[in-house]
Structures are given as C-alpha cells and as structure tokens.
Amino acid sequence: MHIKTLVVGLFEENCYIVADESSLECAIIDPGAEGTRILDYLEENHLRCSAVMLTHAHADHIGALEIVLDETNAQLWMHAGDNGVVIGSEPYALVAPPETRFYAEGDSVEVGALRFTVLETPGHTPGSVCLVCENAIFTGDTLFRGSCGRTDFPLGDTGAMLSSLRRLSRLEGDYEIYPGHMGATTLERERRFNQFVLAANSRS
C-alpha cells in the first residue's frame, strides 16, 4: 500500500490517494479541491482510480468531487447520514448522484488487493466515518493529532464525538492515523496525549 497525501484548498484539507502497488489501482479519499492536481498525480504515476470514498460531506472535503468522478468514472462511496442533509437554509453541499453507493458500519470496499473497512464515527457530522486499511486509519475530521473535529457546526454532536473518540482509542493495537487536516499521527500517541481522547475515556 502506498499513501500519497495532497494538501488542497484554502482549508488545507488532506486528500489521500491510496494505491495497491501491484495493480496500480487506487482509491481517492476526500477530494477536497484542486481536482486537476489530483488527476495529474494519477496520470503521472499511472494509477487507475476505481473508488472515491468520503469520510464526510463538508464542502472542504468534496470540492473536487465532480471533476474527479467525471474523469475517472470511479465509484463514489459515502455514508447516507451526510446525503442531502440541510443545515439551516443551506444544503450540506452534496446531494449524492444516483449511482452512489452508501456504506455503513462494517462494510468494506476493495481496491485491488486493498480492503477498506468502515467504522461509523458520528460527531463532526451525522455521517462521519473512519476508513481502516491494513495498519492505517483515515479519520477525516473525527480524530486529529492532539485534537478532534469541531462539533459546534449545525448537526455536530459533542456526545457522539466523545463516543467515537472512545471507540477509536479502544481498537486493539496501534495504527497510523491519517486525518482530514494537519499531520499524521499514531493511535497510541493519541491515546496517551490527546486531551479529547482522554476526556472521552474518563466519561466511560
């Protein structure tokens, strides 16, 4: 498995391109902006994108979704909890196209020899998920290095976020953590030092 991080857009969102090095089939996780740059990386590295997976549907994670889907013909995967949800008078920024496939807890998506397993981790949004592949977890805006996703947006839920953080912290073993913003970390580091994770576990 090869993981490429592209930091894109005004909000410096982490778009991940995760490739099976034997088949050169890849997944794109959260194409937030700069679609041409994402597509150029695929072309330069001879990668074929078969799946686009969303950790959640906030605008800074889907800004390049249309161009990426149009150019790759990849399958779009997301959680139904973030589809067409209305925040006040504004749409959630994504009404999923008809061919979208909706994943839920325990589902898996295969990309070449790679398998991504879905963990439902609501809190930042109702449909937030984390994606586990081998020793990596793509946590979107649920878990960051030393922090967690905001819950003060409409439909954010602090109680759900704490439950999600607690759940992640209690996974067996250690994982590399690839968040939606900022740098990578490890699950063990966040268990030990992340004050939000510690607070979540103190409430159990």
Side-chain angles (χ1 to χ4, degrees):
M1 176 173 65
H2 178 75
I3 301 171
K4 174 65 176 180
T5 307
L6 297 178
V7 181
V8 297
L10 293 175
F11 293 95
E12 298 187 330
E13 184 264 337
N14 293 330
C15 170
Y16 296 104
I17 300 172
V18 188
D20 169 18
E21 295 173 279
S22 59
S23 68
L24 298 183
E25 190 172 344
C26 74
I28 297 174
I29 299 175
D30 291 350
E34 301 180 46
T36 300
R37 182 177 165 212
I38 295 169
L39 294 168
D40 285 347
Y41 180 84
L42 299 186
E43 182 176 359
E44 291 163 4
N45 291 277
H46 311 289
L47 298 175
R48 181 176 69 86
C49 176
S50 61
V52 175
M53 293 182 278
L54 304 182
T55 63
H56 65 292
H58 274 164
D60 58 325
H61 288 250
I62 64 168
L65 181 60
E66 184 175 359
I67 186 174
V68 167
L69 291 177
D70 285 347
E71 293 296 324
T72 64
N73 293 312
Q75 177 66 61
L76 173 61
W77 294 85
M78 64 176 290
H79 193 281
D82 277 6
N83 180 33
V85 177
V86 174
I87 298 178
S89 62
E90 297 298 324
Y92 218 49
L94 177 62
V95 175
E99 62 273 17
T100 301
R101 297 187 68 178
F102 295 103
Y103 43 37
E105 176 68 30
D107 287 344
S108 61
V109 178
E110 295 187 1
V111 177
L114 303 177
R115 174 175 290 185
F116 297 81
T117 301
V118 177
L119 302 179
E120 292 181 344
T121 52
H124 184 63
T125 70
S128 288
V129 302
C130 293
L131 300 165
V132 182
C133 186
E134 297 181 2
N135 69 331
I137 307 179
F138 301 90
T139 57
D141 287 5
T142 298
L143 177 64
F144 299 134
R145 181 182 175 93
S147 189
C148 69
R150 293 175 59 175
T151 59
D152 58 339
F153 294 132
L155 300 182
D157 186 325
T158 300
M161 175 64 80
L162 291 173
S163 295
S164 293
L165 294 175
R166 183 163 57 247
R167 181 191 186 191
L168 289 173
S169 74
R170 293 182 179 180
L171 294 175
E172 292 186 6
D174 196 12
Y175 289 87
E176 296 290 324
I177 299 296
Y178 294 91
H181 302 270
M182 302 184 290
T185 183
T186 66
L187 186 57
E188 182 58 27
R189 183 190 187 281
E190 301 314 303
R191 286 186 187 116
R192 295 176 62 192
F193 301 116
N194 187 314
Q195 294 300 312
F196 296 94
V197 174
L198 294 170
N201 282 313
S202 72
R203 298 189 180 195
S204 58

